[in-house]
Amino acid sequence: MLDSQPDAAADALIRGAGLRVTATRVAVLDALRVRPHATADDVFDRIVGSLPGTSKQSVYNALGDFADAGLARRIEPAGHAGTFELRVGDNHHHVVCTHCGRIDDVDCVVGSAPCLHVPEGSGYLIETAEVTFWGVCSDCRAESEAEKPRGSR
């Protein structure tokens, strides 16, 4: 359940992004702090108990506003729902578990320098590069190992 106390830091972040502070935006920001790489449905499920009058549409609107203002980043791994994170302003990437769908950050070049370069003469000024790694997370690997019969490899 979300804390009902005013969050001055959330208010400042939202205002600093040029947005009006609303209860939904504060709750959405709090939900993203608790669960990075959350889908809109994840965020809605987290806040609906504290803000019973909220709608999925208002959550989608807040997330879209955050992404447009640079307060949040939307990532869309192939075959997965779009997810949102508050880690912006660096050139990090993501790894997605092919079993459970868990998403984690992968550090790369910090700052605005991209990790990949397009061939010279392309005419593009690259601002960021997005790389998604796919694999099996440690929890799924451990679960898979635990399910194997004793003595098998």
Side-chain angles (χ1 to χ4, degrees), residues 73-126:
R73 179 178 173 191
R74 179 184 174 110
I75 61 169
E76 299 181 51
H80 294 264
T83 63
F84 295 83
E85 64 181 348
L86 294 176
R87 185 175 172 185
V88 297
D90 69 351
N91 195 36
H92 74 278
H93 306 299
H94 298 93
V95 60
V96 180
C97 180
T98 56
H99 287 218
C100 69
R102 177 174 127 186
I103 301 173
D104 288 313
D105 291 335
V106 176
D107 288 329
C108 191
V109 175
V110 176
S112 62
C115 295
L116 304 175
H117 303 279
V118 292
E120 286 188 37
S122 70
Y124 283 87
L125 172 62
I126 303 302

Side-chain angles (χ1 to χ4, degrees), residues 6-17 19-22 26 29 33:
D7 185 343
D11 288 4
L13 278 173
I14 293 167
R15 277 193 188 94
L19 300 171
R20 189 171 55 87
V21 176
T22 66
V26 171
L29 186 65
R33 284 176 173 161

